[in-house]
Amino acid sequence: MPKKDVDLKHVAQNVGHSSRATCGACHFNGGGGDAIKHADMSRQLLTPDRNCDIHMGGYDFDCAECHKTRNHQIAGKSSSVPVAEGVVSCEKCHSDTPHYSGGLLDHHLNDHSRTLACNVCHAPVFAKCKPTKTWWDWSKAGDKNREVKKDKYGQPDYNWKKGEFKWEESGVPDYTWYAGYMDRVLMGDKVDLNADVINLTNPVGSIHDPLSKITAFKIMKGIQAVDADHDYILVPHLFPKDKDDATAFWKHRDWEKAFQAGMKEVGLPYSGAYKWKETWMYWRVNHEVMPAEMALSCVQCHESLKGDQTCNRCHQDNRDIDFKAIAHKGTDFSYMKSMGRDVDHLIEKTDYINFKALGYKGDPIIHGGRFKKLPMGYKAPAD
Ligand code: HEC
Ligand code: HEC
Ligand code: HEC
Ligand code: HEC
Ligand code: HEC
Ligand code: HEC
């Protein structure tokens, strides 16, 4: 429904190929501003550095290079409410055995791809080129007198229209099992008011499912209102329709009126009682792939490879091969630090993946992986 002042003839005469700018006009602003909800998409992608996104920066990909489009059906499944016009996957272009450099890591890297989504290693931090919002507390909105402070990235901690915020730059993703499906809360769905957290999107997957992979997510956390009797998320009316609109929150800062009007608009009853609840939303990290030489190294996940014993825990030593160097080959967070990124705490980190939280007994090099028992009669020390 275009506005009346849009010249449709001019628009029709200017149809052409899409660009990062055309798709980004909407997608860089998800959540109401640059990089707010999508940690891995921002205006940085208009002219990205190679280190920000190897495909769009290093090789100048347009969005549609990956999001293949026919008859206006744009491939690519979102984390929230997909309309499913096809999927895009790294494997479609790279195959599921993408490592072929001829180096000594190829074998294990391809083997890992059965259990780890590519971006776990290839996009080890999200929002590395621009901070993203990770906490959004709507319950604090409405205070026009509150002093707005800037965080270390120069981002505001408050906006009277929207509430309280936290931001992260170069954040470590949350890792969880994912088989390509999400549990979702849609408008009007019952939620559990007694739960500490309501997951609006929740990845489905398990260590016991061979098709599930450990996958990287940014979790968008926040506080939102739930109808205390009907147990569903409330939809507030925020933005005034015109100057006479008397029910919009941004006009009068009265949640009660905003919920009445919002719920009327979406056609669901509002009981008149509401509660603020913590909500989480899982957003998969799909973009910002780093150059190959900046993928996670073996030691960043396997503490067991950090010491003097590395590959030679299982392989025979060979004086022509420096196992230690190979096990450390990968992301150089000290380089990122020198470029001004907030990654100090990641240098020397060896617990990128919390194996126990994911259902392993501990480091799989000691305790074995899910597909096979440990090789070569290696006996795990009793723990
Ligand atoms: C006019 C605004 C707008 C433009 C321009 C736009 N999109 Fe979207 N796109 C949306 C909205 C809104 C959604 C739904 C968001 C949601 O479900 O959270 C969406 C959803 C998507 C999805 C997920 C679809 C699914 O089934 O889950 C993909 C992928 C996508 N867009 C890619 C693109 C690409 C690539 C371009 C450029 C060729 C583009 N979009 C241009 C607004 C836009
Ligand atoms: C190198 C390939 C690649 C490029 C280039 C790319 N994407 Fe994607 N994008 C993906 C993959 C893979 C997914 C996951 C889709 C799926 O599972 O079907 C994805 C997912 C998405 C989603 C859904 C995100 C979510 O989780 O809700 C949107 C929206 C999207 N891309 C928009 C864009 C836009 C806009 C651009 C250009 C600025 C772009 N993409 C460029 C690979 C790419
Ligand atoms: C539309 C096809 C396509 C998709 C989808 C795609 N890539 Fe690529 N990718 C390429 C091409 C082409 C290159 C450049 C040539 C090469 O290195 O193979 C490349 C390069 C790379 C490189 C090497 C970069 C370097 O030069 O250091 C990595 C790593 C990579 N891709 C990972 C991924 C990951 C992870 C995904 C999914 C999030 C993905 N790719 C999705 C086509 C794709
Ligand atoms: C366990 C971590 C890990 C996983 C999982 C992983 N990669 Fe890699 N990848 C690496 C490392 C490390 C390198 C650099 C290898 C080297 O320098 O020998 C690399 C290199 C590459 C390259 C450059 C070509 C080459 O052979 O060096 C591409 C392309 C690539 N990966 C794509 C992918 C795709 C696509 C997936 C998912 C199917 C994936 N990777 C999964 C760590 C990983
Ligand atoms: C992102 C974290 C991560 C990185 C990086 C990583 N691994 Fe692993 N590794 C895992 C996980 C998870 C498993 C368990 C896989 C399974 O369940 O099959 C594993 C299992 C293993 C196993 C043995 C278990 C088995 O069942 O075979 C070996 C050996 C191993 N990794 C070596 C390496 C080497 C060598 C590298 C560097 C090329 C590396 N890993 C990089 C996470 C990682
Ligand atoms: C926990 C034991 C373990 C560790 C640690 C380990 N590997 Fe392996 N590796 C294996 C096993 C077992 C195989 C045989 C194939 C398989 O089962 O995956 C193998 C296979 C290989 C192969 C393929 C050999 C062939 O003939 O195709 C290469 C190359 C390799 N490993 C290199 C390395 C390097 C380099 C490291 C250190 C960065 C390393 N491995 C660490 C157990 C290990």
Side-chain angles (χ1 to χ4, degrees), residues 299-314:
V299 271
Q300 269 152 331
C301 287
H302 294 294
E303 174 97 56
S304 59
L305 295 179
K306 199 189 174 198
D308 285 331
Q309 263 203 317
T310 56
C311 317
N312 54 358
R313 276 176 170 280
C314 309

Side-chain angles (χ1 to χ4, degrees), residues 8-49:
L8 286 176
K9 194 169 151 211
H10 178 79
V11 171
Q13 284 168 339
N14 284 281
V15 169
H17 285 288
S18 65
S19 65
R20 295 197 295 267
T22 47
C23 308
C26 294
H27 282 288
F28 296 161
N29 298 310
D34 202 22
I36 301 274
K37 277 189 183 165
H38 284 289
D40 53 354
M41 274 192 282
S42 73
R43 276 201 279 275
Q44 291 283 331
L45 291 178
L46 293 173
T47 50
D49 187 86

Side-chain angles (χ1 to χ4, degrees), residues 2-125:
K3 285 187 175 166
K4 289 206 177 55
D5 52 355
V6 172
D7 179 356
L8 286 176
K9 194 169 151 211
H10 178 79
V11 171
Q13 284 168 339
N14 284 281
V15 169
H17 285 288
S18 65
S19 65
R20 295 197 295 267
T22 47
C23 308
C26 294
H27 282 288
F28 296 161
N29 298 310
D34 202 22
I36 301 274
K37 277 189 183 165
H38 284 289
D40 53 354
M41 274 192 282
S42 73
R43 276 201 279 275
Q44 291 283 331
L45 291 178
L46 293 173
T47 50
D49 187 86
R50 165 174 198 275
N51 292 324
C52 283
D53 186 300
I54 186 66
H55 297 99
M56 293 184 254
Y59 298 106
D60 202 22
F61 275 35
D62 282 336
C63 315
E65 188 82 38
C66 293
H67 292 280
K68 296 262 187 285
T69 300
R70 288 188 73 184
N71 301 330
H72 293 128
Q73 308 260 57
I74 302 176
K77 188 165 75 168
S78 82
S79 305
S80 49
V81 229
V83 291
E85 297 181 343
V87 290
V88 180
S89 73
C90 316
E91 288 86 345
K92 264 195 183 151
C93 296
H94 288 284
S95 87
D96 47 16
T97 51
H99 305 96
Y100 56 88
S101 70
L104 286 175
L105 295 180
D106 289 356
H107 171 86
H108 284 293
L109 291 178
N110 286 337
D111 199 41
H112 278 62
S113 304
R114 290 194 295 165
T115 294
L116 296 161
C118 316
N119 271 349
V120 171
C121 294
H122 285 290
V125 288

Side-chain angles (χ1 to χ4, degrees), residues 188-207:
D189 283 352
K190 296 264 183 214
V191 298
D192 181 1
L193 272 174
N194 297 317
D196 292 336
V197 168
I198 296 167
N199 278 318
L200 297 180
T201 59
N202 205 4
V204 176
S206 150
I207 189 173

Side-chain angles (χ1 to χ4, degrees), residues 199-224:
N199 278 318
L200 297 180
T201 59
N202 205 4
V204 176
S206 150
I207 189 173
H208 304 299
D209 165 23
L211 296 179
S212 291
K213 292 186 184 179
I214 297 168
T215 306
F217 293 90
K218 167 203 165 179
I219 307 182
M220 180 84 219
K221 300 181 180 179
I223 307 267
Q224 300 191 62

